[in-house]
Amino acid sequence: MSKKIIKDELPENYEELKKAVNRTASWRARLDAVEELGRYNTSQVIDIMNTRLANDPVYKIQEEAYRILIDFGKDVQLPARKKFEIVKGANKVFLRVKKSLPKDHTFEEFATKLKRMRIDVYDAYEGERGLEWLENEWTNIVTNK
């Protein structure tokens, strides 16, 4: 699918897209906003893409920002995918959530509480690694602690 790039203007819904691209509770909303903004080659959009490229915890979003910046003719490098903690201190968050639940809690209870306590952590790991990975982490915490 080829995107039409419109230069030197911002979309009418720029402010809404700017908010969505920074929404830590929804990697999907960030990705959609990045894709839509990627049609507008302006300095504001380039700044947003550079920020997503450097700082987004979900690699799919970093990759899309990278592709857009390359399409805009920018000389950028795709960062290496994080191998361990994608959100600093996440393992402590997982442990804190686990300890706050009854001993015989389920993964679903764990995931629900994690979403309530730290939607940013839940969303980043769900987007980057998937729920199966998160369930494996939960299993390791339950069996090792």
Side-chain angles (χ1 to χ4, degrees), residues 104-118:
D104 61 347
H105 69 274
T106 64
F107 170 70
E108 289 74 22
E109 292 169 320
F110 172 82
T112 299
K113 183 122 189 205
L114 178 60
K115 275 193 239 182
R116 276 199 324 267
M117 288 177 69
R118 290 292 304 271

Side-chain angles (χ1 to χ4, degrees), residues 29-56:
R30 287 196 315 278
L31 182 59
D32 289 346
V34 163
E35 288 172 345
E36 190 169 340
L37 284 169
R39 296 179 21 228
Y40 300 88
N41 187 350
T42 67
S43 61
Q44 295 97 319
V45 170
I46 291 167
D47 287 346
I48 289 170
M49 294 304 149
N50 279 318
T51 299
R52 289 298 99 207
L53 176 62
N55 300 316
D56 204 287

Side-chain angles (χ1 to χ4, degrees), residues 5-18:
I5 296 176
I6 302 168
K7 298 180 186 254
D8 299 328
E9 69 177 64
L10 290 171
E12 289 181 22
N13 61 343
Y14 172 73
E15 289 302 321
E16 177 186 316
L17 290 170
K18 187 175 162 185

Side-chain angles (χ1 to χ4, degrees), residues 21 87 97 100 102 106 127 139:
V21 86
V87 175
V97 170
S100 73
T106 64
T139 301

